[in-house]
């Protein structure tokens, strides 16, 4: 049977969209367009430009498997280098040429076997296959703090950094101690005249080395063999597995070891007993995303830094009023308060066949079979969709495996064996039931904390099984779970 000429549209030119662009070209698709709402590729790495931005996946593991990068300067990749990497890869593989920038999709409707797309600019397009690579954490969460607009100084979210505001010698308040807030405090201590870190929930902080690669090392890494040896796949995979095990079984050896390493870090790094107690976590380790930091404890003990745990009562023109009545005068307030994790492609409106509507399907919480497909949304596939592996995984690795699954579906569409593919409603229902039950056994649920992993029902919205199970699921579709309309 001759291959069908199918048109593919990819929404989003971040890490996952670039991957789709590369893989589709490799597979010989000639009609591929990426649409990107911003003016550059890069997704989260384009949006986040805060001082200290670093990825906590080891540098050489934070790349596509087919495009390693010998040039990382640090053991953990600095944000600007990650952005530069994606820009370079996108140019190298011609993905930038397939991308229409400054085009935000507002709706996608499945009509007569095709996706009809509308964009904010008024542009319209259509596609046989729609790939949503719109990212996970991209809508900043603005906290519900009274007086947010009364502040007379500069106030912005960590993902909307205002680079026109000078930092040196200023009085800066950082609200939030997730990965972002911790990295920010480490970067700003010593630069600010006074730095205050406003936290509600002490974090588990794992010490990590973040050394520099020498020029000689970087030159040596050009040899793939040398790089592969340095990457120590065995050690890395063991660490990833231990982390996953610890999430699934909070009594596992790995969980105990990680908690012990974090506590030792606290005991050894923080001299003042009062400060140490304020920094001591009260929930179980790994309930929130573990923080990897080489220098936060040092930063918070800097003579110009202070930890404020009294609670933010409100923001006033001159600064932050804490629950004990004290006014903390500030020049700059940074909201490191995280993201809305349940947005995905939205606010885009998506309607499938038989009257299916994304808002209705996701009324409770976002869901998708294996994080990739949804019933009655044929030929729409997601990369890093709802409830897929997030945790401390490299999302690049996850997206590559998801692509491997998706390309098997696409191959059937292309060969004409099927004209429409999505999961059966019962398959999604069964998957959601099993996932929810398993998620309730994870430390994200039992660990006694609140976190962005929890959906509106309080159920962890992530992959609650092993990494091995994920690989197994992605290796080959269970066709019986998929609704394939004959071509
Ligand atoms: O956000 P978060 P993030 N008043 O949601 C606090 C990835 N990432 O941007 O814990 C006061 O984790 C909130 O307090 P509490 C990574 O996946 C990766 O830091 O709810 N405080 C919390 O401290 C990460 O997990 C890297 O008590 C308020 C913070 O804000 C994810 O992005 C680097 C508040 C939010 O923490 C999100 O991290 C950076 C309020 N009203 C980010 N509302 C890597 O290194 C919220 N908070 C790869």
């Amino acid at each position: 049977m001759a291959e069908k000429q199918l048109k593919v549209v990819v929404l989003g030119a971040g890490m996952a969209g670039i991957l789709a662009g590369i893989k589709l070209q490799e597979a010989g698709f000639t009609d591929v367009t990426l649409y990107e709402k911003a003016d550059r590729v890069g997704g989260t790495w384009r949006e986040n430009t805060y001082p200290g931005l670093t990825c906590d996946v080891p540098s050489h593991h934070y790349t596509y498997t087919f495009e390693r990068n010998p040039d990382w300067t640090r053991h953990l990749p600095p944000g600007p280098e990650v952005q530069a990497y994606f820009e370079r890869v996108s140019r190298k593989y011609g993905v930038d040429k397939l991308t229409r920038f400054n085009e935000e999709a507002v709706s996608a409707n499945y009509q007569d076997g095709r996706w009809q797309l509308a964009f904010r600019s008024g542009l319209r397009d259509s596609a046989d296959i729609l790939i949503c690579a719109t990212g996970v954490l991209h809508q900043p969460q603005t906290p519900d703090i009274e007086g947010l607009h009364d502040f007379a100084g500069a106030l912005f979210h960590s993902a909307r950094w205002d680079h026109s505001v000078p930092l040196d010698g200023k009085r800066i308040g950082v609200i939030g101690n997730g990965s972002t807030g911790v990295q920010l405090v480490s970067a700003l201590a010593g630069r600010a005249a006074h730095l205050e870190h406003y936290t509600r929930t002490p974090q588990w902080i794992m010490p990590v080395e973040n050394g520099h690669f020498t020029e000689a090392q970087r030159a040596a890494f050009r040899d793939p063999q040398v790089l592969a040896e340095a990457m120590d796949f065995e050690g890395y995979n063991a660490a990833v597995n231990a982390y996953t095990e610890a999430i699934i079984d909070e009594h596992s050896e790995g969980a105990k070891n990680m908690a012990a390493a974090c506590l030792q870090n606290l005991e050894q790094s923080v001299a003042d007993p009062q400060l140490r107690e304020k920094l001591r976590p009260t929930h179980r380790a790994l309930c929130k995303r573990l923080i990897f930091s080489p220098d936060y404890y040092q930063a918070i003990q800097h003579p110009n830094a202070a930890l404020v745990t009294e609670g933010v009562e409100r923001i006033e023109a001159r600064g932050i009023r804490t629950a004990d009545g004290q006014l903390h005068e500030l020049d700059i307030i940074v909201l490191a308060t995280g993201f809305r994790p349940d947005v995905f492609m939205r606010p885009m409106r998506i309607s499938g066949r038989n009257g299916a509507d994304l808002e209705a399907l996701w009324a409770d919480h976002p869901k998708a079979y294996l994080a990739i497909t949804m019933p009655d949304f044929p030929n729409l596939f997601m990369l890093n969709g709802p409830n897929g592996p997030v945790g401390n995984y490299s999302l690049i690795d996850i997206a590559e495996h998801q692509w491997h699954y998706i390309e098997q579906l696409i191959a059937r569409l292309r060969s004409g064996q099927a004209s429409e593919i999505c999961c059966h409603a019962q398959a999604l229902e069964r998957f959601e039931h099993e996932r929810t039950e398993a998620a309730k056994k994870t430390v994200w649920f039992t660990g006694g904390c609140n976190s962005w992993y929890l959906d509106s029902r309080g159920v962890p919205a992530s992959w609650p099984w092993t990494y091995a199970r994920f690989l197994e699921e992605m290796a080959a579709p269970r066709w019986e779970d998929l609704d394939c309309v004959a071509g």
Side-chain angles (χ1 to χ4, degrees):
M1 208 184 298
E3 278 186 345
K4 280 192 183 173
Q5 297 299 314
L6 297 176
K7 171 166 179 171
V8 188
V9 161
V10 180
L11 297 180
M15 170 278 288
I18 296 170
L19 171 72
I22 294 170
K23 293 289 173 185
L24 285 162
Q25 291 179 91
E26 264 176 24
F29 282 87
T30 51
D31 199 353
V32 178
T33 306
L34 281 83
Y35 286 100
E36 167 54 55
K37 67 174 188 249
D39 60 0
R40 277 189 308 152
V41 302
T44 194
W45 300 104
R46 177 198 62 230
E47 303 283 303
N48 283 280
T49 58
Y50 62 80
L53 173 69
T54 305
C55 179
D56 62 12
V57 174
S59 296
H60 291 127
H61 288 275
Y62 199 72
T63 67
Y64 300 115
T65 49
F66 53 85
E67 188 64 37
R68 297 296 185 196
N69 177 19
D71 294 321
W72 297 114
T73 60
R74 307 286 301 260
H75 295 179
L76 299 177
E81 289 187 30
V82 181
Q83 174 63 17
Y85 168 80
F86 286 122
E87 288 184 9
R88 182 172 65 70
V89 174
S90 144
R91 275 196 305 275
K92 176 173 172 181
Y93 289 86
V95 176
D96 55 341
K97 296 218 170 59
L98 304 177
T99 307
R100 296 195 60 171
F101 293 99
N102 301 306
E103 291 291 359
E104 182 186 350
V106 290
S107 68
N109 301 313
Y110 192 71
Q111 280 165 8
D112 305 322
R114 297 201 96 205
W115 284 100
Q116 303 295 334
L117 298 151
F119 295 82
R120 194 165 297 290
S121 64
L123 179 80
R124 289 180 180 276
D125 199 356
S126 64
D128 298 297
I129 296 170
L130 182 60
I131 305 293
C132 292
T134 48
V136 187
L137 300 174
H138 55 93
Q139 303 267 5
Q141 179 82 264
T142 306
D144 190 14
I145 298 175
E146 193 190 322
L148 214 53
H149 302 290
D150 297 338
F151 186 53
L155 181 149
F156 42 84
H157 189 276
S158 55
R160 297 283 179 273
W161 198 269
D162 183 347
H163 289 276
S164 70
V165 176
L167 303 171
D168 294 309
K170 300 290 178 193
R171 297 167 301 175
I172 307 176
V174 173
I175 302 179
N177 61 340
S179 303
T180 304
V182 163
Q183 291 181 351
L184 263 170
V185 166
S186 300
L188 294 177
R191 284 187 71 181
H194 187 59
L195 176 67
E196 292 189 333
H197 195 194
Y198 292 81
T199 68
R200 296 194 292 208
T201 318
Q203 289 274 18
W204 291 86
I205 299 187
M206 179 70 91
V208 62
E209 294 277 325
N210 188 15
H212 292 260
F213 291 116
T214 63
E215 251 174 59
Q217 280 175 310
R218 300 203 316 253
F221 293 152
R222 300 201 171 281
D223 178 342
Q225 199 94 39
V226 175
L227 184 58
E229 267 165 43
M231 287 173 75
D232 178 20
F233 286 99
E234 220 172 287
Y236 180 71
N237 290 339
V240 169
N241 285 331
Y243 194 93
T244 320
E245 281 254 311
I247 284 163
I248 297 168
D249 175 8
E250 61 186 68
H251 305 293
S252 68
E253 256 333 276
K256 285 183 201 149
N257 293 342
M258 279 186 246
C262 293
L263 282 183
Q264 192 185 32
N265 184 26
L266 175 66
E267 302 295 344
Q268 290 180 348
S269 311
V270 183
D272 172 7
Q274 269 183 340
L275 178 62
R276 202 187 307 138
E277 289 322 300
K278 284 186 182 181
L279 288 166
R280 191 180 298 280
T282 49
H283 55 276
R284 274 189 178 274
L286 285 89
C287 179
K288 285 172 179 282
R289 190 179 192 277
L290 199 61
I291 309 278
F292 291 84
S293 174
D295 48 7
Y296 173 74
Y297 287 146
Q298 284 72 28
I300 200 64
Q301 294 175 90
H302 189 280
N304 292 349
L307 181 72
V308 184
T309 57
E310 277 71 24
V312 176
E313 180 84 0
R314 61 176 178 273
I315 293 177
E316 301 179 3
R318 290 190 295 147
I320 293 178
R321 177 88 57 186
T322 42
D324 57 0
Q326 199 190 328
L327 176 68
H328 302 249
E329 297 202 25
L330 296 165
D331 303 308
I332 301 166
I333 297 176
V334 182
L335 306 174
T337 46
F339 299 85
R340 291 179 53 205
D342 59 345
V343 179
F344 296 96
M345 302 85 90
R346 298 181 289 179
M348 187 183 173
R349 300 297 309 235
I350 304 187
S351 56
R353 68 184 180 201
N354 305 328
D357 175 62
L358 188 77
E359 289 306 318
L361 180 70
W362 287 7
D364 269 1
H365 63 280
K367 45 176 105 88
Y369 172 76
L370 294 175
I372 287 176
T373 158
M374 299 173 290
D376 283 322
F377 292 85
N379 309 348
L380 181 160
F381 309 118
M382 287 174 281
L383 286 167
N384 287 318
N387 311 315
V390 282
N392 273 57
Y393 294 104
S394 156
L395 287 189
I396 306 184
D397 176 66
I398 299 305
E400 284 196 24
H401 288 290
Q402 289 176 330
W403 185 262
H404 178 65
Y405 182 98
I406 292 171
E407 70 187 353
Q408 296 173 74
L409 309 190
I410 290 180
R412 273 211 180 180
L413 294 170
R414 202 181 189 193
S415 70
Q417 277 173 288
S419 60
E420 294 187 344
I421 301 182
C422 55
C423 67
H424 286 296
Q426 305 90 302
L428 173 59
E429 216 173 286
R430 193 195 65 234
F431 173 77
E432 266 299 279
H433 175 72
E434 286 175 9
R435 191 192 63 76
T436 301
E437 290 310 301
K440 287 181 182 169
K441 295 187 184 126
T442 63
V443 68
W444 295 318
F445 188 77
T446 60
C449 77
N450 192 12
S451 78
W452 65 264
Y453 291 140
L454 304 182
D455 68 17
S456 57
R457 306 164 302 168
V459 174
S462 191
W463 184 261
W465 301 293
T466 59
Y467 180 65
R469 175 159 173 178
F470 170 69
L471 296 188
E472 203 179 299
E473 292 282 6
M474 292 301 105
R478 296 168 201 247
W479 292 104
E480 65 277 18
D481 283 353
L482 296 168
D483 180 5
C484 299
V485 175

